[in-house]
């Protein structure tokens, strides 16, 4: 079956750096996406990786290793507003998005 | 670009009644729209894939007679929860499919919080 694993919850301190990991096993691979979702709101797109390596976008970076079925989202200079759930999603060979359960990130002052 | 409007944002209804949720793509034509449901502290669960002009494809375990989906135009898909029960209370989110290089293929509406009393 298809499976995406990410930690349920993480806690970090304002101003620090946090890395949220995602491992996946899917039928084929056509890209990996990270979304941010605040409580009661729809997800918002953060990043997209289809080739191995690091994609940097401001305070957020996303890394992909296709051979390892592994990605991480790196958040730098954490702000209180970064408290949210972070969803990892993989597009499989049928171009269907397979969603992880999400990682709830708690930022403490 | 790629804006999706979902209405209503929240709705409270009595058990046994029906509720219609609208999802509109405002600046693109969405041949395909997806309907998700999200229970508290859980991830998105795909309910059905809606294709303009044809019947929706429902995921396993989703009752097609209870969750009626209509996608009559390239910019509008509707989800009707029929004979709602308290266990249908959830956050419903639609998304329109539009491929953009290097970006998300899904463009989400703001979601509808349904509470059935």
């Amino acid at each position: 079956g298809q499976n995406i694993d990410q930690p349920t919850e993480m806690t970090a301190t304002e101003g620090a750096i946090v890395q949220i990991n995602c491992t996946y096993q899917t039928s084929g691979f056509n890209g990996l996406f990270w979304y941010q979702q605040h409580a009661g709101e729809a997800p918002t797109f953060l990043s997209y990786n289809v080739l191995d390596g690091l994609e940097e976008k401001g305070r957020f970076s996303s890394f992909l290793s296709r051979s390892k079925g592994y990605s991480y989202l790196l958040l730098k200079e954490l702000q209180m507003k970064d408290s949210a759930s972070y969803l990892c999603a993989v597009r499989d060979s049928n171009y269907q998005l397979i969603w992880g359960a999400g990682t709830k990130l708690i930022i403490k002052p | 670009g790629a804006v999706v409007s979902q209405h209503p944002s929240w709705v409270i209804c009595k058990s046994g009644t029906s509720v219609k949720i609208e999802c509109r793509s405002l600046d693109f034509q969405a041949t395909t729209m997806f309907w998700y449901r999200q229970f508290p502290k859980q991830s998105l669960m795909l309910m059905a894939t809606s294709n303009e002009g044809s019947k929706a494809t429902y995921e396993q375990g989703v009752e097609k007679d209870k969750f009626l989906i209509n996608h009559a135009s390239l910019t509008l898909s509707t989800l009707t929860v029929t004979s709602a029960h308290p266990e249908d209370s959830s956050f419903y989110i639609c998304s329109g499919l539009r491929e953009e290089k290097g970006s998300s293929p899904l463009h989400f509406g703001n979601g509808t919080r349904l509470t059935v009393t």
Side-chain angles (χ1 to χ4, degrees):
Chain A
Q2 310 207 86
N3 193 51
I4 296 182
D5 287 316
Q6 43 180 139
T8 304
E9 186 175 298
M10 298 182 71
T11 302
T13 304
E14 189 178 14
I17 300 173
V18 70
Q19 177 175 311
I20 302 174
N21 295 325
C22 170
T23 57
Y24 63 89
Q25 292 176 309
T26 56
S27 303
F29 178 85
N30 281 296
L32 184 144
F33 302 84
W34 284 96
Y35 293 85
Q36 179 191 61
Q37 187 180 24
H38 286 99
E41 299 180 11
T44 56
F45 170 73
L46 289 178
S47 68
Y48 168 68
N49 295 72
V50 67
L51 299 176
D52 291 350
L54 188 68
E55 293 284 340
E56 296 186 79
K57 193 185 285 188
R59 294 189 299 115
F60 294 2
S61 303
S62 58
F63 171 83
L64 174 67
S65 169
R66 288 171 295 171
S67 62
K68 295 182 180 178
Y70 167 71
S71 172
Y72 67 72
L73 179 69
L74 190 72
L75 294 77
K76 303 176 184 177
E77 300 170 19
L78 287 170
Q79 302 175 9
M80 297 303 292
K81 67 178 182 180
D82 297 329
S83 292
S85 287
Y86 291 85
L87 308 175
C88 172
V90 174
R91 188 158 55 181
D92 67 10
S93 57
N94 292 321
Y95 275 74
Q96 299 296 317
L97 270 184
I98 311 301
W99 294 88
T103 299
K104 182 179 180 181
L105 178 63
I106 300 169
I107 309 296
K108 295 185 175 181
Chain B
V3 177
V4 173
S5 174
Q6 185 173 343
H7 179 80
S9 300
W10 59 270
V11 58
I12 301 172
C13 71
K14 291 186 177 181
S15 187
T17 62
S18 295
V19 173
K20 179 186 282 188
I21 302 170
E22 292 189 350
C23 182
R24 294 180 183 273
S25 56
L26 299 184
D27 55 356
F28 70 102
Q29 293 183 331
T31 307
T32 301
M33 287 189 174
F34 300 95
W35 286 94
Y36 291 90
R37 179 168 54 181
Q38 187 175 34
F39 292 105
K41 299 184 180 181
Q42 295 186 22
S43 190
L44 300 172
M45 293 175 52
L46 180 64
M47 298 177 65
T49 302
S50 164
N51 292 296
E52 185 268 336
S54 63
K55 290 183 178 180
T57 302
Y58 290 82
E59 295 299 303
Q60 194 171 11
V62 178
E63 300 175 56
K64 62 180 181 181
D65 295 329
K66 180 172 180 62
F67 298 98
L68 301 180
I69 292 174
N70 183 284
H71 194 159
S73 78
L74 287 171
T75 59
L76 174 63
S77 177
T78 61
L79 168 67
T80 301
V81 183
T82 63
S83 187
H85 290 285
E87 56 264 32
D88 298 325
S89 298
S90 186
F91 190 51
Y92 293 84
I93 311 173
C94 71
S95 66
L97 177 65
R98 180 186 177 187
E99 291 288 345
E100 294 183 0
K101 190 175 181 181
S103 183
S104 173
L106 299 184
H107 303 275
F108 291 94
N110 287 330
T112 297
R113 172 74 58 191
L114 170 64
T115 302
V116 184
T117 60

